[in-house]
Amino acid sequence: MMRGNMNNMMRQVQKMQKQMAEEQEKLKDEFVEGTAGGGVVTVKANGHKQIVDITIKPEAVDPEDVDMLQDLVLAAVNDALTKTEELVNQRLGKFTKGLNLPGM
């Protein structure tokens, strides 16, 4: 009887792993945008935590204040990565809920 329960549990785990892998694959085609400076810098990232586009409006470029532009880009990247993490947690959290897995 115990062996049957173990086999059933293993099948459920394998099914969950497959569904999770499929969901992870879909994340590469989902995007979030991070912004800074009221939208003068926009960073687009996919669900695999890859930056895929950066847009800088001309008014953000001041040759006399490159530090400000660097700060805006950094803030927009961090905003995009935070939103990506939220997206990943939203999509994959249903698989890891209650499992207390490190890194999830």
Side-chain angles (χ1 to χ4, degrees):
M1 188 65 145
M2 192 168 161
R3 185 170 176 86
N5 288 339
M6 183 63 93
N7 287 339
N8 188 35
M9 187 171 78
M10 289 303 292
R11 277 193 294 275
Q12 289 176 339
V13 168
Q14 288 171 341
K15 180 180 177 184
M16 183 181 76
Q17 286 174 325
K18 182 180 179 204
Q19 290 171 333
M20 190 170 175
E22 290 169 356
E23 198 68 33
Q24 284 175 319
E25 185 61 26
K26 290 178 191 175
L27 282 168
K28 76 176 182 188
D29 297 321
E30 293 199 42
F31 301 94
V32 297
E33 285 188 352
T35 61
V40 295
V41 176
T42 303
V43 174
K44 186 176 181 180
N46 68 17
H48 283 184
K49 301 178 186 176
Q50 297 169 321
I51 304 301
V52 296
D53 189 45
I54 297 176
T55 303
I56 301 172
K57 292 185 178 177
E59 59 265 28
V61 181
D62 179 356
E64 302 297 317
D65 195 359
V66 175
D67 287 342
M68 181 188 71
L69 179 57
Q70 290 170 326
D71 290 344
L72 290 171
V73 171
L74 185 60
V77 167
N78 285 329
D79 186 38
L81 293 178
T82 297
K83 289 176 180 176
T84 300
E85 191 67 32
E86 291 168 0
L87 175 67
V88 169
N89 288 338
Q90 179 184 7
R91 294 292 189 272
L92 301 181
K94 60 187 170 194
F95 298 108
T96 59
K97 191 175 184 178
L99 294 179
N100 195 20
L101 299 175
M104 291 294 200

